[in-house]
Amino acid sequence: MQSPPPPLTSYVESWTPGPVTDEDPLPAGPVAALSAARDLPAAAKAGDPLPPLWQWLYFLDWPAGRELGTDGHPLNGHFLPPIPHRQRMWAGGRCEITEPLRLGEPAERISSLSSVTPKHGRTGGMLFVTERREFRQHGRTCLVEEQDIVYRSGRSEGQHPAGVDESASPDTDVPWQLPLRPDPALLFRFSALTANAHRIHYDTPYCQGEEGYPGLVVHGPLLALLMLELAHRHAPERQVTSLSYRLRRPVFAGEHLVACGTPSDRHVELLIATHREAWHATAEVTFA
């Protein structure tokens, strides 16, 4: 009888990566590029505030091609746990904003390991790794972000549809709505802007044959940005002071989705819906 694999915690008992500090001049170019990809006004200039979560366009790491695995993810990295046959999923995160970062002004990011939490789901053992990122300008802390990344060893069988229905639309009656039908061009451009080489976002044969998805997978961070974009469109003058988001079920290129928002006095509840699922992603935003 084959012995069960060791628990994932056994691989990270002595894994204690220290903090890392990076710098970025925050040029306006990436904001203009993402704005163009999303058909948004592109008049970005030095001194403009960086929208919430758009810090993901900066402080990027570009490993050499030989340092990528067959799935396109980096083989090694400072905050990548030493798990064999590692599979990575972005689960969600939080952000506290004291003041927005400003374009064209040098910024500093201090990254550190916040926690490593083992859990057991219906598909086996998982590790939830939370990375903390503090962003500073002119010696002041502007925002603090936490990202929750889930790791497992080996592939798991997901419950995905057999094909992508490109005709059905979600039925929703919430006050704020932003429809979108993400296409491969948008996914490719977002991958390039965020230094994301994961093949599930641009390589259809790999996506279907190796990972069992019916089509290209829309980036979880792109879904989070769409929810924040909805809040900005409907409340452009209100400053976001905190936000949290959770990425639950994948959305596929070609599907019709709607970012939905239900506002209250100082908060707005957000979600991503398709005809298949009402809560692919959820978020909560607090205004000043």
Side-chain angles (χ1 to χ4, degrees):
M1 179 181 296
Q2 186 177 9
S3 59
L8 296 183
T9 51
S10 66
Y11 296 103
V12 294
E13 289 174 347
S14 60
W15 181 60
T16 55
V20 174
T21 299
D22 297 293
E23 296 179 348
D24 198 297
L26 299 193
V31 168
L34 181 56
S35 298
R38 284 289 304 120
D39 293 315
L40 301 173
K45 62 183 184 301
D48 285 351
L50 190 65
L53 301 185
W54 286 46
Q55 67 267 18
W56 294 341
L57 302 176
Y58 298 93
F59 303 95
L60 301 180
D61 182 29
W62 290 92
R66 64 180 178 275
E67 297 173 352
L68 300 180
T70 56
D71 61 357
H73 272 312
L75 290 169
N76 300 292
H78 190 70
F79 293 109
L80 295 180
I83 298 173
H85 312 294
R86 183 177 55 232
Q87 184 182 18
R88 175 183 185 272
M89 295 163 287
W90 197 328
R94 296 152 300 284
C95 193
E96 298 286 338
I97 304 171
T98 304
E99 59 181 291
L101 295 168
R102 298 283 173 175
L103 292 176
E105 301 177 13
E108 183 181 58
R109 182 187 71 183
I110 300 93
S111 304
S112 59
L113 182 66
S114 179
S115 65
V116 179
T117 305
K119 294 188 178 183
H120 194 86
R122 56 183 177 79
T123 57
M126 301 176 289
L127 280 180
F128 281 73
V129 176
T130 298
E131 183 181 337
R132 184 181 189 273
R133 295 177 170 185
E134 180 179 337
F135 295 83
R136 299 177 179 175
Q137 275 184 327
H138 307 295
R140 301 191 303 272
T141 298
C142 297
L143 64 92
V144 176
E145 176 190 7
E146 288 187 333
Q147 295 180 0
D148 301 325
I149 311 296
V150 181
Y151 295 92
R152 67 174 74 248
S153 181
R155 298 292 175 198
S156 61
E157 294 294 330
Q159 296 180 344
H160 308 304
V164 177
D165 187 339
E166 300 188 3
S167 60
S169 297
D171 183 16
T172 179
D173 59 358
V174 298
W176 294 0
Q177 298 189 32
L178 175 61
L180 179 68
R181 183 170 175 260
D183 59 18
L186 175 60
L187 271 58
F188 178 83
R189 296 173 81 176
F190 190 75
S191 287
L193 286 168
T194 55
N196 186 345
H198 195 182
R199 292 169 66 182
I200 64 173
H201 304 304
Y202 60 86
D203 186 339
T204 301
Y206 171 85
C207 193
Q208 295 174 334
E210 296 297 326
E211 303 221 14
Y213 294 111
L216 297 178
V217 179
V218 179
H219 309 69
L222 180 55
L223 298 179
L225 286 172
L226 285 172
M227 291 187 286
L228 269 292
E229 182 183 321
L230 176 65
H232 178 72
R233 286 181 180 229
H234 286 270
E237 303 303 320
R238 304 198 66 178
Q239 181 180 341
V240 174
T241 58
S242 67
L243 62 95
S244 62
Y245 61 94
R246 184 177 176 186
L247 307 172
R248 300 171 181 268
R249 298 286 182 101
V251 178
F252 304 105
E255 287 190 301
H256 292 268
L257 65 83
V258 176
C260 305
T262 303
S264 59
D265 183 28
R266 293 185 58 238
H267 302 82
V268 58
E269 300 285 343
L270 301 156
L271 58 87
I272 297 288
T274 70
H275 73 284
R276 295 186 292 109
E277 176 79 41
W279 298 280
H280 287 274
T282 55
E284 181 178 351
V285 169
T286 301
F287 297 110

